[in-house]
């Protein structure tokens, strides 16, 4: 019975699907006992090991076990569903076309062989190994070797990718090698497909390889031998909303530990946490410095926008250096990627006379102008409205647009290079997996010369014709008010630079900034990861940030700003009584109101040696204490453990 699903009555007329956790004879207090309506499974669909894993997630990330249950089981498992309709194999075949099972890798360099040997040796003494390989060093080939090795030994493998990087490109490549032994698990797939993958994992013939995004850590594994976390530094491994706010990389490492499996973390730009543990010897460390097939790293030219403005050689957001590089590339029928980390047309619009700026009525942000839809949109809650024809403040009819979004970049390209064909990839044009893949497909087939996009263009894509990459404004990323902003900028900008020069000798990257002399810009231009790491780690140590301390953010949300402020101060003071100066705040986050709820944040910085259990108990007790006050019943309090 334990681990089987049951239909249970809840309230007057509602029924729910639950999972049997424990069978006991203890009569619960204050709760009416009801009969189970139906038993849905004959064999357990949640194993003891999974329960243990769920409980670890609930405890570590401080959320109810029910939230983990909701995240862990695909929708189809949580309501009664007819089985044996269309099989998941049919769906893959329709999606991917014909596949073979031929092993495609052929021992493709010496550096890779050496890396595979080093990883295998490292696993003899370490459970976790960090593979630090420059972009295009052929990490996927190494993964394929290792997956094959573990599968031959009868072990299962989990291969995790960040959500956006899980494209048909990688799926097809692995499918060609592993054929029917591989299952794909993605939140954009239908419930039915996810249900089938889950069911097959508890059957007598489970997939030997699962390629999936963060939620695939919740799949059942019967004999897990290896977990690969590709692009381990990627922030999208952290679930933000709703709970459980787990970090899939860290959760996967815990899962591997529980299963006695090994973990391989792969990246070109390690997260500080992983690099720190590798340096300390807690993780194994394997480096891969050579680009695959002797490709050279791209050459990065830093362009000082301030200087270009002074000399009046800027054309809109384009420096003369970037324009020249683009002209050259277009003349040779090569392709270009332009990166601007802001979607929409302009950041906001402003009354020319009095400076009035339209803002979201529900959130504490200005509205972004989208030219294509002719709408002002809130990027936090989705509120949209038509721009006013005159200023409500002074009746002026002239507005100026401030800031640079991907739409405006596309407009400017059309005026500078009228013949160039462009594609844009951001949350507006690539809402669905299909749209996203259509854009990638079209650009791969050279149906466009220039691809403009947000962070989406930086991830896991291989375009063989791209010779120029332009970063229009590196400063928007660097100026984020976050202790990780330099680490993240380095990772993102290295990644986008790595898209250049795959087929051509050394691609060209033009990085535009107002801070050309800043150390971080020099470190990015010289691909000096170590220099950036060393300098940033000094600051992290001095200011007690990860990996020297663990961070827990406590968020409070309420409609009434005064009540919220009062309670947040009370909570912070009370916690300071327990944890002393480890408690900071309360602060108002940069966006202090979202969807009509005001927000406060209290920060807790704890030594990694401090008992997690003790901290957890104190925080949960504090939440109980606050909510017990009648006036605070509607305050929403939640925790973000190890925020990114
Ligand atoms: Zn005005
Ligand atoms: Zn809003």
């Amino acid at each position: 019975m334990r681990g089987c699903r049951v239909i249970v009555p809840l309230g007057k007329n509602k029924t729910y699907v639950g999972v049997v956790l424990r069978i006991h004879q203890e009569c619960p207090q204050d709760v009416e006992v009801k009969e189970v309506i139906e038993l849905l499974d004959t064999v357990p669909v949640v194993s003891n090991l999974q329960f243990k894993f769920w409980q670890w997630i609930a405890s570590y990330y401080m959320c109810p076990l029910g939230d983990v249950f909701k995240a862990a089981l695909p929708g189809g498992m949580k309501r009664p569903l007819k089985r044996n309709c269309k099989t998941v194999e049919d769906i893959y075949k329709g999606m991917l076309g014909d596949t073979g099972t031929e092993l495609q890798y052929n021992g493709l360099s010496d550096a890779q062989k050496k890396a595979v040997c080093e990883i295998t040796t490292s696993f003899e003494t370490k459970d976790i190994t960090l593979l630090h390989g420059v972009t295009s060093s052929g990490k996927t080939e190494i993964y394929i070797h290792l997956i094959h090795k573990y599968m031959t030994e009868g072990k299962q493998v989990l291969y995790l990718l960040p959500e956006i990087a899980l494209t048909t490109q990688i799926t097809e490549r692995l499918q060609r090698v592993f054929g029917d032994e591989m299952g794909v698990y993605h939140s954009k797939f239908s419930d039915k497909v996810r249900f089938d993958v889950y069911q097959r994992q508890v059957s007598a013939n489970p997939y030997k390889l699962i390629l999936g995004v963060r939620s695939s850590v919740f799949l059942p594994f019967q004999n897990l031998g290896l977990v690969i976390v590709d692009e381990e530094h990627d922030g999208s491994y952290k679930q933000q909303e709703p709970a459980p706010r787990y970090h899939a990389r860290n959760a996967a490492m815990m899962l591997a530990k529980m299963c006695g499996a090994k973990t391989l973390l792969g990246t070109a730009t390690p997260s500080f946490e992983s690099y720190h543990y590798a340096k300390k010897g807690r993780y194994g460390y394997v480096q891969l410095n050579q680009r695959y097939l002797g490709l050279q790293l791209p050459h990065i030219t830093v362009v000082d926008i301030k200087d270009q403005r002074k000399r009046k050689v800027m054309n809109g957001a384009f420096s003369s250096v970037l324009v020249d590089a683009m002209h050259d590339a277009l003349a040779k029928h090569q392709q270009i990627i332009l990166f601007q980390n802001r979607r929409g047309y302009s950041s906001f619009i402003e009354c020319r006379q009095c400076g009035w700026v339209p803002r979201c009525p529900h959130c504490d942000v200005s509205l972004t102008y989208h030219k294509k839809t002719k709408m002002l949109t809130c990027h936090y809650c989705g509120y949209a409205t038509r721009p006013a024809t005159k200023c409500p403040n002074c009746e002026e009819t002239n507005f100026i647009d401030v800031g640079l979004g991907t739409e405006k970049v596309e407009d400017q390209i059309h005026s500078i290079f009228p013949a160039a064909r462009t594609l844009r990839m951001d949350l507006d044009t690539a809402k669905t997996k299909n749209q996203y893949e259509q854009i990638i497909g079209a650009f791969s087939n050279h149906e466009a010369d220039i691809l403009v996009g947000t962070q989406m263009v930086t991830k896991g894509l291989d375009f063989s014709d791209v010779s120029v990459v332009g970063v229009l404004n590196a400063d928007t990323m660097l100026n984020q008010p976050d202790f990780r902003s330099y680490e993240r900028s380095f990772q993102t900008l290295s990644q986008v630079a790595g898209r250049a020069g795959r087929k051509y000798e050394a691609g060209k990257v033009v990085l535009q900034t107002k801070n050309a002399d800043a150390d971080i810009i020099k470190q990015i231009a010289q691909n000096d990861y170590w220099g950036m790491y060393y300098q940033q780690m000094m600051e992290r140590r001095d200011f007690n940030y990860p990996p020297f301390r663990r961070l827990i953010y406590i968020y409070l949300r309420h409609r009434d700003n005064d009540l919220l402020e009062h309670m947040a101060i009370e909570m912070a003071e009370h916690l300071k009584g327990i944890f002393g100066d480890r408690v900071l705040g309360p602060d108002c986050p940069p966006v202090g109101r979202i969807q009509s709820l005001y927000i406060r944040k209290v920060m807790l910085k704890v030594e990694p040696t401090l008992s997690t259990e003790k901290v957890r108990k104190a925080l949960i007790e504090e939440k109980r204490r606050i909510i017990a006050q009648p006036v605070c019943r509607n305050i929403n309090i939640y925790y973000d453990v190890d925020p990114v």
Side-chain angles (χ1 to χ4, degrees):
M1 271 289 272
R2 179 173 153 97
C4 291
R5 288 171 309 142
V6 285
I7 301 181
V8 291
L10 220 68
K12 275 206 177 116
N13 308 313
K14 282 190 177 158
T15 57
Y16 280 89
V17 172
V19 175
V20 178
L21 178 64
R22 191 159 74 96
I23 296 173
H24 59 85
Q25 304 297 328
E26 302 148 30
C27 189
Q29 285 174 355
D30 312 325
V31 182
E32 188 193 340
V33 180
K34 291 180 182 171
E35 296 274 340
V36 165
I37 297 173
E38 195 187 336
L39 179 67
L40 286 174
D41 301 300
T42 47
V43 287
V45 294
V46 181
S47 65
N48 288 342
L49 193 132
Q50 277 175 286
F51 275 128
K52 198 175 150 196
F53 181 62
W54 289 12
Q55 267 148 350
W56 177 80
I57 297 255
S59 154
Y60 187 85
Y61 293 102
M62 292 193 265
C63 69
L65 194 59
D67 285 348
V68 185
F69 160 79
K70 273 189 233 155
L73 293 187
M77 302 269 300
K78 286 172 280 185
R79 28 173 207 276
L81 229 167
K82 292 261 182 301
R83 288 183 218 171
N84 304 326
C85 318
K86 201 176 179 189
T87 67
V88 68
E89 283 78 12
D90 294 337
I91 290 163
Y92 287 153
K93 274 182 196 139
M95 193 177 75
L96 297 167
D98 285 337
T99 55
T101 51
E102 187 196 344
L103 287 177
Q104 288 277 311
Y105 72 92
N106 49 24
L108 267 158
S109 73
D110 284 346
Q112 289 173 346
K113 262 188 212 159
K114 191 164 156 274
V116 172
C117 278
E118 283 177 19
I119 293 165
T120 313
T121 311
S122 165
F123 278 156
E124 283 168 16
T125 52
K126 307 269 202 267
D127 288 332
I128 302 166
T129 294
L130 174 65
L131 173 63
H132 185 181
V134 291
T135 48
S136 305
S137 54
K139 285 192 287 290
T140 313
E141 301 304 311
I142 292 169
Y143 300 153
I144 289 173
H145 274 267
L146 289 166
I147 293 166
H148 190 251
K149 176 179 172 294
Y150 277 84
M151 279 170 56
T152 312
E153 291 167 10
K155 297 277 176 64
Q156 288 176 296
V157 179
L158 169 62
Y159 183 157
L160 283 180
L161 271 167
E163 187 88 29
I164 200 82
L166 185 58
T167 61
T168 308
Q169 278 185 343
I170 181 83
T171 313
E172 275 180 347
R173 192 160 163 206
L174 291 172
Q175 192 95 15
R176 254 180 262 127
V177 182
F178 300 107
D180 184 37
E181 295 189 297
M182 178 179 93
V184 185
Y185 199 70
H186 194 290
S187 57
K188 296 263 162 66
F189 288 161
S190 71
D191 266 356
K192 176 73 178 80
V193 174
R194 282 149 47 88
F195 177 84
D196 285 350
V197 173
Y198 193 102
Q199 287 290 343
R200 175 145 168 194
Q201 289 312 88
V202 291
S203 75
N205 180 30
Y207 288 112
K208 295 206 175 97
L209 168 65
I210 290 285
L211 173 68
V213 296
R214 62 174 180 242
S215 56
S216 41
V217 296
F218 293 116
L219 283 173
F221 291 93
Q222 300 180 28
N223 191 12
L224 187 64
L226 175 69
V227 175
I228 296 168
V229 186
D230 198 11
E231 311 291 353
E232 65 86 23
H233 63 275
D234 200 293
S236 63
Y237 276 125
K238 181 74 158 67
Q239 162 104 353
Q240 302 290 357
E241 197 82 28
R245 294 176 178 82
Y246 65 104
H247 197 303
R249 175 196 64 212
N250 300 353
M253 292 194 289
M254 180 49 74
L255 178 73
K257 191 177 167 192
M258 287 176 179
C259 297
K262 303 290 180 186
T263 306
L264 181 66
L265 307 173
T267 176
T269 49
S271 65
F272 277 22
E273 283 82 351
S274 299
Y275 197 63
H276 178 69
Y277 291 132
K279 285 276 143 204
K280 288 189 95 164
R282 215 167 113 180
Y283 299 173
Y285 180 70
V286 175
Q287 208 174 1
L288 201 60
N289 270 329
Q290 275 175 21
R291 276 190 120 187
Y292 188 51
L293 297 173
L295 284 174
Q296 294 170 29
L297 277 172
H299 181 75
I300 303 183
T301 307
V302 175
V303 177
D304 184 344
I305 313 180
K306 277 190 300 194
D307 174 64
Q308 290 259 317
R309 286 242 159 84
K310 224 181 278 167
R311 296 198 284 121
K312 298 198 174 9
V313 286
M314 283 296 277
N315 191 339
F318 292 75
S319 64
S320 55
V321 184
L322 181 55
V323 171
D324 290 348
M326 288 173 71
H327 264 301
D328 277 0
L330 291 171
K332 291 183 206 153
H333 300 287
Q334 294 168 355
Q335 287 177 299
I336 298 157
I337 292 181
L338 296 178
F339 171 65
Q340 172 61 14
N341 208 17
R342 186 169 275 152
R343 68 192 169 98
Y345 188 79
S346 57
S347 312
F348 56 90
I349 58 170
E350 190 180 274
C351 167
R352 192 178 282 277
Q353 185 156 314
C354 76
W356 175 81
V357 173
R359 303 179 68 82
C360 177
H362 313 291
C363 311
D364 193 8
V365 288
S366 51
L367 295 169
T368 304
Y369 181 55
H370 290 251
K371 194 175 176 184
K372 188 151 186 247
T373 53
K374 295 194 179 60
M375 294 294 262
L376 289 166
T377 311
C378 171
H379 287 182
Y380 285 83
C381 72
Y383 170 85
T385 182
R386 294 224 171 269
T389 45
K390 57 181 167 185
C391 171
N393 213 23
C394 71
E395 305 219 319
E396 163 74 47
T397 52
N398 240 332
F399 289 90
I400 43 173
D401 53 78
V402 184
L404 182 71
T406 44
E407 271 189 352
K408 198 192 271 185
V409 174
E410 211 182 7
D411 258 19
Q412 292 185 357
I413 297 170
H414 291 149
S415 72
I416 306 172
F417 307 97
R421 298 162 302 163
T422 58
L423 277 170
R424 178 160 57 88
M425 184 151 77
D426 53 33
L427 267 184
D428 298 315
T429 62
K431 268 194 203 101
T432 65
K433 195 168 182 293
N434 255 353
Q435 290 173 325
Y436 175 69
E437 290 187 343
Q438 261 169 18
I439 297 172
I440 291 170
F443 195 62
S444 296
N445 295 333
H446 215 133
E447 287 163 32
D449 307 298
I450 304 172
L451 175 67
V452 183
T454 55
Q455 212 136 348
M456 281 188 174
V457 299
T458 66
K459 306 207 177 181
L461 304 171
D462 282 308
F463 301 114
S464 53
D465 281 348
V466 173
S467 65
V468 172
V469 164
V471 176
L472 289 158
N473 185 352
D475 306 327
T476 41
M477 294 197 74
L478 294 173
N479 296 338
Q480 294 285 325
D482 187 293
F483 72 94
R484 281 187 218 272
S485 66
Y486 280 18
E487 178 190 0
R488 210 177 286 139
S489 303
F490 188 95
Q491 287 160 347
T492 306
L493 296 175
S494 305
Q495 219 163 5
V496 71
R499 306 296 123 211
R502 303 220 150 202
K503 201 162 77 180
Y504 305 93
E505 302 273 303
K508 200 181 269 180
V509 179
V510 178
L511 193 141
Q512 303 189 149
T513 174
K514 285 181 194 153
N515 299 289
D517 292 329
D519 287 343
I520 179 74
I521 293 290
K522 288 179 193 154
Q523 287 153 355
I524 292 167
Q526 288 156 13
N527 197 30
D528 180 13
Y529 177 84
W530 168 248
M532 185 274 306
Y533 172 81
Y534 186 76
Q535 194 175 13
Q536 289 298 307
M537 283 293 269
M538 291 296 175
E539 289 193 16
R540 299 260 184 115
R541 197 185 52 196
D542 290 350
F543 294 99
N544 290 330
Y545 275 107
F548 301 101
R549 291 288 188 277
R550 282 183 57 221
L551 288 187
I552 300 173
Y553 291 166
I554 304 146
Y555 284 100
L556 298 94
R557 295 192 290 203
H558 199 269
R559 277 173 191 281
D560 182 336
N561 197 29
D562 294 336
L563 173 75
L564 183 70
E565 173 75 9
H566 179 78
M567 294 321 295
I569 290 172
E570 188 193 308
M571 184 188 220
E573 288 309 315
H574 204 251
L575 287 174
K576 278 174 193 165
I578 305 169
F579 295 107
D581 59 7
R582 296 181 186 91
V583 179
L584 289 114
D587 288 323
C588 199
V591 178
R593 185 174 61 122
I594 296 175
Q595 291 181 326
S596 301
L597 293 176
Y598 291 92
I599 309 166
R600 291 294 184 282
K601 184 174 93 178
V602 177
M603 195 198 287
L604 185 59
K605 290 178 177 177
V606 292
E607 301 88 320
T609 47
L610 205 72
S611 151
T612 318
E613 197 47 35
K614 194 181 153 199
V615 175
R616 199 177 74 85
K617 269 194 181 142
L619 289 180
I620 287 175
E621 189 47 47
E622 181 60 19
K623 178 176 171 175
R624 247 183 235 138
R625 196 184 67 79
I626 296 270
I627 292 177
Q629 306 178 35
V631 66
C632 297
R633 261 211 315 250
N634 292 326
I635 283 194
N636 172 234
I637 299 174
Y638 67 90
Y639 311 100
D640 191 0
V641 179
D642 302 338
V644 295

